C-alpha cells in the first residue's frame, strides 16, 4: 500500500524552467486514459479510439491564428490543438472478437464517421501540413487514403456521408488559393469602429478580428470548396463556388444541400457565429433553388436572447427533402411579454410554396428531435425565470395542432430527471429517436440521495408510463452507451467501481460479456478511499461533498485538506441540496480532476463541495458572497467533525468561476490558510454586460459588480494565494489581464501572492509540460503554507 508522502516544500530554482512533480504523481499523469467508443449504425461493430491525454508543449506551440473566435492551425488548416487519437481498434459486437486494423504510421486520428449502412467509416489523419481523408471497412479492417485532397476543418464537420453510403460531402482547401495575405509593412490608416446609437450588450469574447488583414486571413483559412467524394473510386466532384460555409448538410435523399454561407461585413466585437449569413438550398449541381434567410450581423441580441429570423434550421429526418426551422415571436428578447416566444415552420421540396407553421412554443424553443417512425417529434422549451423545461410531443404533418406535454419539470431537479431520448441513425443517415411501437427509451444519471445510479427506461408515449429496463446498483457505476437492438434487451454499457477500471460490456439481462479487458493503469492508488458526505449549512440548506482520503490513511488522523469547488445558482434550497456524483466510480486524474493528485501527497480532498447560491435569477448574486462563505464554512465544519481535517491546515482551490470563488473566499473570510486560483476573472467591471448567470449589466447593478469583485478588496486578501493563468486564455471574460492585475493589487497592498503565467496555454491547460508544472507549483504552494510547522 502506498503511504502518503509528507515532505518539505520543493526548492524553487532561481531561473525557472518547466518543473516536474514527484515521480508517484508523474506515473499517474502519464497513465493511458480509457479508450473512447463509437458504435456503427448497424450496431454490429464498434471502434475503440485511444485518445492522447496531454500533447507535448511542442504541439501546443504550433503556429496559430486567433480569428473571429476561432483558433486556426495555419499548417494543417484545421483547429489548433484539436484532440486526436493515436490508434483505433475494431470489435465485433456479436462475439467481442477483434478485427485487425491498419492505420497510418504516427497517426493523429479524428473520431470515426460511420456510413449510414455501418459498413464503412471515414476518418481524418492530421499530418504536419494537412488533414487527410481515409476510408475504412469495418468487416475487414482495411483502410485506404483518398489521394489528391486536403480537408478544411476550420469550421464545422469536414466530412458528411450521403444516404447511399457510397458518397460523402467534404469541405476542401481550395486548389490554387495562393499564399496567405501579407502583412503591410506600413499601415495605410487607422482601424475604426463605430456604433449607430442602438443598444446591444457586448460579451467579452476573446480572439476577435481587429484589422482588415485579420479579415483577409479569416477568409483565406476559413474558405472551403465543397465536393462530393466517391468512397470507392476516390473521384472528387467540386460543387458550387468556394465560400466560408457555416453549415453544409445534404438532404436525406441526397438530392439537395442546405448551406449557410458567412459573409462580410464582419465584426470586431463578435465571433463568427454572429456574422452575417445567407442560408440557401442548393441542388446536386450547386445551383441555388431557395433562399431561406439573409441574416444580418447579430450584434443586438439581448442578454439571454436569440437571433431574429430563421434559426435552428435542419432537414426533417422522416422525409426525403423537407426543411424545418424556428423563428422568434418576441424579437428574440426574453423580457418581452408574448403568448408564444417561438414558432416552428416547415417547407418541402421543390421549395416553391410558402413555409407552413407547425407549432408555437409558449417558452423559448431549445430543441427538436424527430421520432424514428416519422410524422412526430419531441420539442423542448425552457422558461428562464423558473428554470423550467417542458418536453412536448407534436405532429410534424398537422399544422398548428395542439401538442401534448410529455415532461414538465425544474431542469435543475436531478432527482426527478426522466432522462434523455436514446437516438439512432436511420438508413438515410439522419438521427432520430429510437422508437419501438409506442415506446421510446430514456437514459439519465439516476441521481438520488445516495448518489448517481444511471438507468435506462422504456417509456410509453401513449400511456406516459415508464418501465425500468436497467439501473446501476450500489458498489459499481454502470451507464448505457448504446442499445444494440430495438427492444432494449441487448445493451452496450460502460462499467467501473472504486477498484475496477472502466471497461465496456455487452449486457443481456443480468448477463455481462466483457468487450474490453483494460487493466488498472494506476494500481498504486487503489488505496484511495472516498465517500459522499451530506451535511447542512447554518440556514438549513442541505449540502454534500465527496471526501477522498489518501492511500494508507489511518482513522483519526487529521490531515491538511484541500477544498475544491465551483459555485452554481439555484432557485430553491431543495434542488440546490441534491447530491451529485457517485462514490462507486473509479478514481481518475484527468482534466478537471487533477487536484485529486494531492491525495498522493498526504492531503484529504473535499471534492465537488456544494457551493449553491440560491435566489431569484434576477437578483441571486445580491447575496453571492454571504452564501459561498456559509457553504465553505459548513464543509470545513463537517470535515473537522469527522476527524479527518485539521482546521488550521485547510486550503481552497478552483478553476475559472471556481477561481473567482477562491479569491472571494480569501477576501471575505478567514476560513482558509492558502488558496489556488486557476484562470479566473476577478474584476467584474471588465465583464460589464453580465457574467456566468448574472443578467444585469454593470450600470444596472454597480454595487453587486463591485462587491463581487475580489480585485476591489485586494487589500483584504492576506491569505497566501497562487494565481495561475494561460497566456492564451480563450474563455469569455477570463482575459489573462485579470490575474495579472489581481497579482499587482495584492502585491501592492502587502499580500502574499505568486503569479504563474503559462506560455501558449488556453483556458484549460493542454501541454504535458504545463500540466506537470502546474502540479509542481500547487504542491509547492500548499506544502509551504499548509504543511509547515
Amino acid at each position: 500500500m502506498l503511504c502518503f508522502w509528507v515532505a518539505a516544500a520543493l526548492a524553487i530554482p532561481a531561473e525557472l524552467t518547466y518543473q516536474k512533480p514527484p515521480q508517484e504523481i508523474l506515473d499517474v499523469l502519464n497513465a493511458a486514459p480509457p479508450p473512447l467508443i463509437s458504435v456503427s449504425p448497424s450496431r454490429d461493430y464498434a471502434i475503440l479510439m485511444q485518445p492522447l491525454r496531454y500533447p507535448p508543449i511542442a504541439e501546443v506551440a504550433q503556429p496559430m491564428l486567433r480569428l473571429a473566435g476561432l483558433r486556426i492551425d495555419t499548417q494543417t488548416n484545421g483547429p489548433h490543438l484539436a484532440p486526436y487519437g493515436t490508434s483505433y481498434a475494431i470489435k465485433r459486437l456479436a462475439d467481442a472478437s477483434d478485427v485487425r486494423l491498419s492505420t497510418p504510421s504516427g497517426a493523429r486520428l479524428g473520431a470515426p464517421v460511420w456510413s449510414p449502412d455501418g459498413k464503412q467509416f471515414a476518418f481524418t489523419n492530421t499530418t504536419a501540413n494537412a488533414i487527410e481523408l481515409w476510408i475504412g471497412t469495418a468487416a475487414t479492417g482495411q483502410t485506404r487514403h483518398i489521394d489528391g485532397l486536403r480537408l478544411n476543418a476550420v469550421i464545422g464537420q469536414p466530412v458528411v456521408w450521403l444516404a447511399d453510403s457510397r458518397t460523402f460531402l467534404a469541405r476542401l482547401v481550395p486548389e490554387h488559393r495562393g499564399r496567405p495575405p501579407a502583412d503591410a509593412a506600413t499601415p495605410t490608416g487607422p482601424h475604426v469602429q463605430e456604433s449607430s446609437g442602438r443598444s446591444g450588450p457586448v460579451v467579452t469574447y476573446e480572439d476577435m478580428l481587429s484589422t482588415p488583414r485579420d479579415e483577409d486571413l479569416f477568409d483565406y483559412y476559413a474558405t472551403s470548396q465543397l465536393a462530393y467524394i466517391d468512397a470507392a473510386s476516390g473521384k472528387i466532384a467540386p460543387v458550387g463556388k468556394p465560400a466560408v460555409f457555416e453549415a453544409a448538410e445534404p438532404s436525406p435523399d441526397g438530392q439537395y444541400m442546405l448551406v449557410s454561407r458567412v459573409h462580410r461585413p464582419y465584426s470586431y466585437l463578435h465571433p463568427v457565429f454572429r456574422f452575417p449569413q445567407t442560408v440557401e438550398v442548393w441542388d446536386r449541381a450547386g445551383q441555388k433553388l431557395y433562399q431561406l434567410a439573409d441574416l444580418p450581423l447579430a450584434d443586438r441580441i439581448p442578454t439571454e436572447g436569440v437571433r431574429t429570423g430563421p434559426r435552428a434550421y435542419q432537414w426533417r429526418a422522416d422525409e426525403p427533402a423537407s426543411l424545418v426551422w424556428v423563428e422568434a415571436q418576441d424579437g428574440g428578447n426574453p423580457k418581452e411579454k408574448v403568448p408564444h416566444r417561438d414558432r416552428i415552420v416547415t417547407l418541402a421540396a421543390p421549395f416553391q410554396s410558402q413555409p407552413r407553421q407547425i407549432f408555437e412554443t409558449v417558452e423559448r424553443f431549445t430543441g427538436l428531435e424527430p421520432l424514428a417512425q416519422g410524422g412526430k417529434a419531441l420539442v423542448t422549451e425552457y422558461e428562464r425565470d423558473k428554470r423550467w423545461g417542458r418536453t412536448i410531443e407534436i405532429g410534424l404533418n398537422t399544422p398548428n395542432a395542439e401538442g401534448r406535454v410529455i415532461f414538465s419539470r425544474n431542469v435543475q431537479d436531478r432527482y426527478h430527471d426522466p432522462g434523455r431520448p436514446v437516438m439512432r441513425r436511420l438508413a438515410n443517415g439522419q438521427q432520430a429517436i429510437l422508437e419501438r411501437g409506442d415506446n421510446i427509451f430514456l437514459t439519465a444519471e439516476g441521481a438520488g440521495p445516495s448518489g448517481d445510479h444511471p438507468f435506462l427506461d422504456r417509456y410509453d408515449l401513449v400511456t406516459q408510463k415508464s418501465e425500468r429496463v436497467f439501473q446501476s446498483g450500489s458498489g459499481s457505476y454502470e451507464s448505457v452507451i448504446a442499445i444494440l437492438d430495438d427492444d432494449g434487451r441487448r445493451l452496450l454499457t460502460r462499467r467501473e467501481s472504486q477498484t475496477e477500471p472502466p471497461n465496456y460490456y455487452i449486457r443481456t439481462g443480468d448477463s455481462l460479456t466483457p468487450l474490453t479487458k483494460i487493466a488498472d493503469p494506476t494500481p498504486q492508488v487503489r488505496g484511495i478511499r472516498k465517500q459522499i458526505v451530506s451535511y447542512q449549512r447554518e440556514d438549513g440548506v442541505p449540502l454534500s461533498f465527496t471526501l477522498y482520503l489518501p492511500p494508507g490513511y489511518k482513522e483519526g488522523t487529521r490531515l491538511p485538506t484541500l477544498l475544491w469547488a465551483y459555485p452554481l445558482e439555484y432557485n430553491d434550497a431543495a434542488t440546490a441540496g441534491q447530491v451529485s456524483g457517485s462514490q462507486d466510480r473509479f478514481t481518475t486524474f484527468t482534466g478537471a480532476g487533477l487536484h485529486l493528485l494531492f491525495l498522493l501527497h498526504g492531503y484529504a480532498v473535499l471534492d465537488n463541495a456544494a457551493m449553491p447560491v440560491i435566489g431569484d435569477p434576477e437578483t441571486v448574486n445580491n447575496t453571492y458572497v454571504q452564501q459561498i462563505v456559509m457553504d465553505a464554512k459548513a464543509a470545513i465544519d463537517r470535515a473537522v467533525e469527522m476527524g479527518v481535517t485539521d482546521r488550521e491546515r485547510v486550503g481552497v482551490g478552483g478553476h475559472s468561476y471556481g477561481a473567482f470563488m477562491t479569491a472571494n473566499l480569501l477576501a471575505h473570510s478567514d476560513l482558509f490558510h492558502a488558496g489556488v486560483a486557476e484562470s479566473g476573472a476577478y474584476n467584474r467591471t471588465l465583464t460589464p454586460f453580465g457574467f456566468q448567470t448574472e443578467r444585469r449589466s454593470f450600470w444596472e447593478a454597480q454595487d453587486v459588480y463591485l462587491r463581487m469583485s475580489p480585485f476591489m478588496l485586494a487589500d483584504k486578501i492576506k491569505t497566501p494565494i497562487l494565481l495561475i493563468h494561460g497566456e492564451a486564455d480563450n474563455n469569455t471574460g477570463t482575459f489573462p489581464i485579470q490575474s495579472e492585475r489581481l497579482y499587482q493589487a495584492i502585491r501592492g497592498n502587502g499580500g502574499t501572492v505568486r503569479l504563474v503565467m503559462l506560455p501558449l496555454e488556453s483556458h484549460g491547460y493542454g501541454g504535458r509540460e504545463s500540466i506537470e508544472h502546474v502540479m509542481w507549483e500547487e504542491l509547492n504552494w500548499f506544502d509551504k503554507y499548509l504543511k509547515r510547522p
Side-chain angles (χ1 to χ4, degrees):
M1 183 174 291
L2 178 68
C3 295
F4 55 82
W5 182 54
V6 181
L10 305 175
I12 300 176
E15 185 175 347
L16 193 61
T17 58
Y18 286 113
Q19 300 296 303
K20 295 180 180 294
Q23 189 62 47
E24 61 266 33
I25 289 178
L26 279 176
D27 290 342
V28 174
L29 276 176
N30 293 329
L36 306 176
I37 195 165
S38 175
V39 178
S40 69
S42 50
R43 300 180 288 194
D44 50 359
Y45 291 95
I47 294 176
L48 294 162
M49 183 176 79
Q50 183 60 56
L52 178 71
R53 179 173 285 173
Y54 305 121
I57 197 68
E59 288 189 20
V60 182
Q62 288 300 302
M64 171 185 69
L65 286 175
R66 301 162 66 168
L67 302 171
L70 305 174
R71 295 195 163 179
I72 301 170
D73 186 323
T74 58
Q75 301 295 313
T76 66
N77 217 104
H80 174 69
L81 212 62
Y84 64 87
T86 57
S87 65
Y88 279 172
I90 297 183
K91 289 280 189 177
R92 293 185 183 91
L93 296 181
D95 57 8
S97 62
D98 296 312
V99 177
R100 292 180 62 86
L101 176 69
S102 59
T103 54
S105 176
R108 296 170 60 185
L109 306 172
V113 183
W114 289 98
S115 61
D117 63 7
K119 295 180 180 180
Q120 300 181 88
F121 55 94
F123 63 95
T124 61
N125 178 47
T126 302
T127 66
N129 55 16
I131 300 176
E132 302 175 336
L133 177 61
W134 288 66
I135 305 295
T137 302
T140 65
Q142 293 181 339
T143 61
R144 63 190 186 281
H145 175 230
I146 303 295
D147 296 323
L149 61 80
R150 291 179 62 200
L151 292 174
N152 187 340
V154 167
I155 301 176
Q157 169 67 291
V159 175
V160 180
W161 286 93
L162 271 65
D164 62 6
S165 291
R166 175 187 175 94
T167 312
F168 47 84
L169 181 67
R171 305 186 194 200
L172 308 181
V173 173
E175 283 192 283
H176 314 301
R177 69 174 178 180
R179 298 181 62 82
D183 190 9
T186 303
T188 58
H191 306 140
V192 177
Q193 300 182 57
E194 182 178 359
S195 179
S196 64
R198 294 187 297 126
S199 64
V202 180
V203 178
T204 47
Y205 293 113
E206 308 259 17
D207 302 342
M208 297 299 98
L209 302 176
S210 59
T211 67
R213 180 172 180 265
D214 281 353
E215 298 184 56
D216 294 340
L217 285 168
F218 172 73
D219 280 338
Y220 179 84
Y221 287 103
T223 296
S224 296
Q225 172 65 63
L226 298 180
Y228 292 112
I229 313 294
D230 185 282
S233 66
K235 181 181 178 181
I236 303 171
V239 55
K241 295 180 179 180
V244 180
F245 293 102
E246 189 271 337
E249 297 293 335
S251 60
D253 64 2
Q255 299 305 306
Y256 305 95
M257 191 188 313
L258 176 64
V259 298
S260 172
R261 293 182 290 114
V262 173
H263 61 79
R264 300 192 185 213
Y266 297 150
S267 170
Y268 290 7
L269 294 176
H270 300 279
V272 61
F273 63 82
R274 288 199 171 186
F275 285 2
Q277 296 179 20
T278 300
V279 186
E280 298 169 337
V281 177
W282 292 359
D283 65 14
R284 185 77 181 238
Q287 297 298 311
K288 184 181 78 171
L289 300 179
Y290 177 72
Q291 180 170 295
L292 174 60
D294 190 5
L295 303 171
L297 176 68
D299 60 344
R300 308 289 174 181
I301 297 178
T303 301
E304 294 190 348
V306 296
R307 195 173 198 158
T308 56
R311 72 181 199 278
Y313 35 81
Q314 59 187 290
W315 293 109
R316 278 183 55 174
D318 61 333
E319 293 195 349
S322 290
L323 294 170
V324 62
W325 68 87
V326 180
E327 296 176 354
Q329 303 285 78
D330 58 0
N333 189 348
K335 292 186 177 180
E336 291 292 326
K337 303 298 182 183
V338 294
H340 297 94
R341 294 216 173 272
D342 286 309
R343 72 176 191 135
I344 304 172
V345 296
T346 187
L347 178 64
F351 313 106
Q352 295 175 354
S353 59
Q354 291 298 311
R356 176 169 52 90
Q357 180 172 298
I358 300 174
F359 186 72
E360 291 182 299
T361 61
V362 175
E363 301 299 343
R364 182 65 70 214
F365 168 93
T366 56
L368 181 150
E369 295 175 321
L371 292 161
Q373 293 177 186
K376 294 183 179 181
L378 297 186
V379 170
T380 52
E381 63 176 19
Y382 176 68
E383 198 282 310
R384 68 180 195 136
D385 288 334
K386 295 180 181 178
R387 294 192 171 98
W388 203 265
R390 296 200 307 166
T391 301
I392 306 163
E393 183 184 25
I394 70 168
L396 295 173
N397 301 318
T398 51
N400 295 313
E402 185 175 343
R404 189 165 64 109
V405 176
I406 303 297
F407 304 120
S408 180
R409 69 180 187 95
N410 182 332
V411 298
Q412 293 183 315
D413 184 357
R414 300 180 73 249
Y415 287 4
H416 298 94
D417 180 4
R420 305 169 301 280
V422 174
M423 310 294 289
R424 72 159 302 177
R425 190 169 295 279
L426 305 179
N428 61 15
Q430 304 294 309
Q431 288 273 8
I433 297 172
L434 173 59
E435 191 176 10
R436 181 70 163 175
D438 295 325
N439 294 315
I440 63 174
F441 294 90
L442 304 170
T443 60
E445 292 295 333
S450 63
D452 294 346
H453 299 277
F455 67 77
L456 173 70
D457 277 359
R458 182 182 291 109
Y459 182 82
D460 191 311
L461 289 168
V462 176
T463 65
Q464 297 190 340
K465 293 183 179 179
S466 291
E467 174 191 358
R468 185 65 36 100
V469 177
F470 164 77
Q471 184 159 24
S472 180
S474 57
S476 65
Y477 180 94
E478 186 175 359
S479 56
V480 175
I481 303 300
I483 297 178
L484 301 180
D485 61 19
D486 288 350
D487 294 321
R489 295 192 180 95
R490 194 162 173 263
L491 310 174
L492 173 66
T493 67
R494 185 179 188 267
R495 180 185 173 92
E496 61 191 282
S497 72
Q498 283 201 35
T499 58
E500 299 171 355
N503 269 288
Y504 295 101
Y505 293 84
I506 305 296
R507 173 177 281 278
T508 305
D510 293 331
S511 173
L512 278 176
T513 302
L515 185 68
T516 60
K517 298 179 180 179
I518 301 165
D520 185 347
T522 54
Q524 67 270 36
V525 303
R526 276 324 110 211
I528 289 173
R529 294 159 50 189
K530 63 179 174 179
Q531 68 179 103
I532 292 176
V533 178
S534 298
Y535 51 99
Q536 290 185 347
R537 73 183 192 189
E538 62 186 56
D539 60 357
V541 173
L543 304 173
S544 64
F545 56 67
T546 301
L547 170 65
Y548 287 82
L549 296 171
Y553 174 74
K554 295 181 179 179
E555 292 292 340
T557 305
R558 293 194 180 273
L559 301 175
T561 300
L562 172 61
L563 183 151
W564 198 271
Y566 190 96
L568 294 171
E569 297 80 10
Y570 296 87
N571 280 36
D572 57 80
T575 52
Q578 291 184 350
V579 173
S580 64
S582 170
Q583 63 188 24
D584 294 324
R585 300 202 71 168
F586 191 74
T587 301
T588 55
F589 305 86
T590 60
L594 287 175
H595 55 277
L596 296 179
L597 288 166
F598 276 83
L599 292 161
L600 305 182
H601 210 61
Y603 289 80
V605 177
L606 313 183
D607 188 36
N608 194 27
M611 286 280 167
V613 183
I614 304 167
D616 184 281
E618 291 290 339
T619 59
V620 65
N621 280 327
N622 290 3
T623 56
Y624 169 88
V625 169
Q626 297 94 311
Q627 293 200 54
I628 64 167
V629 171
M630 280 196 295
D631 295 331
K633 181 178 184 302
I636 295 170
D637 287 348
R638 182 69 180 103
V640 171
E641 178 188 317
M642 294 178 69
V644 300
T645 291
D646 180 348
R647 191 184 295 275
E648 301 304 315
R649 294 190 292 164
V650 181
V652 60
H655 186 87
S656 194
Y657 207 54
F660 174 67
M661 169 208 74
T662 295
N664 265 306
L665 286 171
L666 300 190
H668 293 278
S669 77
D670 57 0
L671 295 169
F672 300 97
H673 295 265
V676 166
E678 300 175 353
S679 300
Y682 311 106
N683 183 346
R684 284 303 169 195
T685 68
L686 300 180
T687 56
F689 287 101
F691 55 90
Q692 207 71 1
T693 63
E694 178 57 58
R695 300 172 178 177
R696 297 165 293 183
S697 73
F698 169 73
W699 298 274
E700 295 172 306
Q702 290 189 27
D703 58 331
V704 174
Y705 275 67
L706 296 175
R707 188 167 60 250
M708 289 182 68
S709 296
F711 176 83
M712 306 302 173
L713 295 169
D715 60 325
K716 307 296 184 186
I717 301 178
K718 300 305 181 184
T719 302
I721 183 170
L722 171 63
L723 303 172
I724 300 176
H725 216 119
E727 290 183 351
D729 194 317
N730 65 341
N731 185 57
T732 300
T734 54
F735 293 90
I737 196 174
Q738 291 272 7
S739 288
E740 293 167 347
R741 292 295 180 264
L742 183 61
Y743 168 76
Q744 293 170 4
I746 296 174
R747 179 182 182 276
N749 282 285
T752 300
V753 60
R754 179 177 172 86
L755 174 65
V756 178
M757 302 298 293
L758 301 172
L760 309 170
E761 291 292 352
S762 186
H763 190 61
Y765 319 138
R768 183 188 308 123
E769 291 86 344
S770 298
I771 296 292
E772 292 172 352
H773 188 85
V774 165
M775 287 309 306
W776 180 85
E777 289 279 0
E778 294 182 357
L779 287 169
N780 260 298
W781 194 255
F782 281 127
D783 279 1
K784 182 176 181 179
Y785 293 106
L786 300 185
K787 286 188 176 179
R788 63 184 180 183

